[in-house]
Amino acid sequence: MVKTKRLKHIPGAAGADEAGRGPLAGPVVAAAVILPKKFNLKGIDDSKKLTRNQRDELAIRIKEHAIWAVCVVDTPEVDKLNILWASMVGMHRALVSLNREFNGIYIDGNCLPKDMPWEAEAVVGGDAKFACIAAASIIAKTHRDNLMTEMASRYPDYGFERHFGYSTPEHFEALRKLGPCEIHRRSFAPIREMLEQPCLIFAD
């Protein structure tokens, strides 16, 4: 049996992560989480390593026992800032929304938001190293998946409830038939190219 690597738990430290950098549609969602000293870490891991049901169950536990905040950066702002800085802005806003003093701040990735009023550490692969970042990744991912499922009812036939805006064959087929909708990211190359050559969108 492979032994699961134990995540580092620093009570009172804030972890920040985002979900939705890669998709062609929808917002990027950032979350910040402070885990209490005796928080039950069982199952907590990088959200990408978990099933949707596991994430949903863990999100309930995190929300019940931790201090957490979510920030949604909508598509127009993603297009305006670019996806990297939209992610940074989202994590900054989520941390501010916690409205707490921190016993350290750990942010997933190799970059830090600009003009933060606190010292913070960027941690590459942080969602597999720090419990607070892993918890933030779970909150961000579950929140974004729920938003995209809601978007599926507003924009039917794109399959957002299944691929959540990512670059899947189903998504590209829907784009070919329907063209981009309001929540597609105009700054992302596949969408930008379709808008520049609209005659190709509807070609059989």
Side-chain angles (χ1 to χ4, degrees):
M1 180 180 292
V2 178
K3 187 176 181 180
T4 303
K5 183 178 178 181
R6 187 173 179 83
L7 297 176
K8 187 172 184 179
H9 177 33
I10 304 175
D17 202 358
E18 51 71 33
R21 280 201 192 187
L24 301 177
V28 61
V29 174
V33 174
I34 300 174
L35 296 176
K37 184 176 183 179
K38 295 184 179 180
F39 183 79
N40 177 10
L41 295 177
K42 184 177 179 180
I44 300 293
D45 204 345
D46 173 2
S47 64
K48 296 184 289 297
K49 299 177 182 177
L50 304 170
T51 66
R52 187 172 186 181
N53 284 341
Q54 287 173 328
R55 289 192 297 265
D56 287 342
E57 291 175 2
L58 289 166
I60 293 172
R61 188 199 309 165
I62 294 165
K63 290 178 178 180
E64 285 180 348
H65 299 288
I67 299 166
W68 60 277
V70 165
C71 174
V72 178
V73 183
D74 288 327
T75 304
E77 193 167 11
V78 171
D79 285 333
K80 178 181 178 181
L81 296 175
N82 78 43
I83 189 60
L84 171 61
W85 290 111
S87 300
M88 294 296 108
V89 164
M91 288 190 280
H92 188 175
R93 291 173 183 168
L95 287 163
V96 169
S97 295
L98 291 176
N99 195 26
R100 293 289 194 282
E101 292 186 3
F102 311 114
N103 183 25
I105 298 175
Y106 301 93
I107 293 176
D108 187 54
N110 62 358
C111 187
L112 292 173
K114 296 177 180 177
D115 303 321
M116 287 211 307
W118 327 276
E119 290 186 7
E121 180 180 343
V123 184
V124 176
D127 44 9
K129 298 175 182 177
F130 284 82
C132 56
I133 298 179
S137 77
I138 291 166
I139 295 297
K141 174 63 175 169
T142 54
H143 192 88
R144 188 179 189 279
D145 284 357
N146 289 337
L147 286 178
M148 292 306 293
T149 300
E150 292 174 11
M151 289 296 102
S153 63
R154 291 178 55 187
Y155 304 100
D157 302 323
Y158 284 97
F160 290 139
E161 73 278 16
R162 292 184 293 276
H163 54 67
F164 307 109
Y166 283 88
S167 301
T168 66
E170 178 189 8
H171 192 180
F172 278 116
E173 179 63 15
L175 281 166
R176 188 187 71 82
K177 291 180 178 179
L178 304 171
C181 71
E182 186 178 0
I183 65 169
H184 279 97
R185 297 173 179 176
R186 268 61 179 164
S187 58
F188 279 41
I191 306 303
R192 184 175 66 247
E193 291 165 4
M194 286 183 175
L195 292 170
E196 289 172 351
Q197 302 180 65
C199 60
L200 299 181
I201 296 172
F202 305 101
D204 291 324

